[in-house]
Amino acid sequence: MKAIVIQTYGAPDGLAVVDLPVPAPAAGQVLIAVEAVGVGGVDAVIRSGALAAYGFTEGHIPGGEVAGTVTAVGDGVDASWIGRHVWAFTGTGGGYVEQAVAPVGEILPLPSGLSAIDAVTLGSSGVVAHFGLRRARFTPGETVLVRGAAGSIGITAVQLAARAGASAVAVTTSSAGRGERLRGLGATHVLERSGEGGADAPAGYDVIIDVVAGAHMPSFFDRLNPNGRMVAVGAVAGQPPADFGMKIMAAFRRSLSFGAFSAATVPPADRRAVRAEQFAGAARGEIETVVHEVLPLERAESAHRKMDAGEVFGRIVLTP
């Protein structure tokens, strides 16, 4: 089968197309004939080498979510899964392939009316957006700022906050055109990447969902209301300064809170329930999935170049 591996960490040209044997599902796993692969921001961060300290080595296959048809099952897995159309989480890698293995506990049947492409656009990002807002203790009537709203996590967070009754949903983005698209998804105010702009925008926010992190993250603590909460759900711009917490301590009397959130800390049953609900909502047209572009698997390098250049609105999907 064809697969994409990281031959050299760094630039996108370190990705290479290789031929590998079709894997056999181990006990508790299924084998999936892949129809769509979601290209996530974490894939680009891993490819850059920024997470090498976490054990990623060259030869790693990127990609964490796929959708397709189950073709085989390992020991202990109900054979009735064979032939079913599913979404699957493959972990921190293993998704950029024609045939993927995944734990049976991390697969979910797709409802009628939801395509494989839409499933990998929403599957991981929807759960992060949902539980990120929950971690921030968001309640109806509060003001929300989504920092870095043009990616699939941000786009879903905007929709969920608007649907849940936020009094305002502000977004930071790189262009007026993207801002207008986000308004169509529920944003009420469009700000520059720095958080400036939007003359009628709220003076402060009760909740900030931050997909970006990076060097400028601490400046957004100044935009929190008293008792405001910021939750980092990504770090597409890299890690914040080591002393970023000093901003919170300097504003001690405003009782600000910061938290990092990974969906890995959510019990699998809870992730599954929310994902199933969101898939059903997307099939009914209640949640919009935004696909930037669909590319052949062999063009993974091109997909990563577009991500590095900040060209992507929504999600790029690869198809074997």
Side-chain angles (χ1 to χ4, degrees), residues 24-31 70-82 104:
Q29 293 183 330
V30 301
L31 179 67
V70 176
T71 58
V73 299
D75 290 344
V77 179
D78 190 336
S80 66
W81 278 108
I82 296 175
V104 69

Side-chain angles (χ1 to χ4, degrees), residues 18 21 23 29-30 49 54 67 71 76 104 119 127 145 149 180 184 196 208-209 213 264 273 287 292-293 295:
V18 300
Q29 293 183 330
V30 301
Y54 292 88
T71 58
V104 69
V127 165
L145 170 62
E180 286 308 305
E196 300 294 335
I208 296 178
I209 300 296
I287 298 177
H292 179 83
E293 190 173 9
L295 295 172

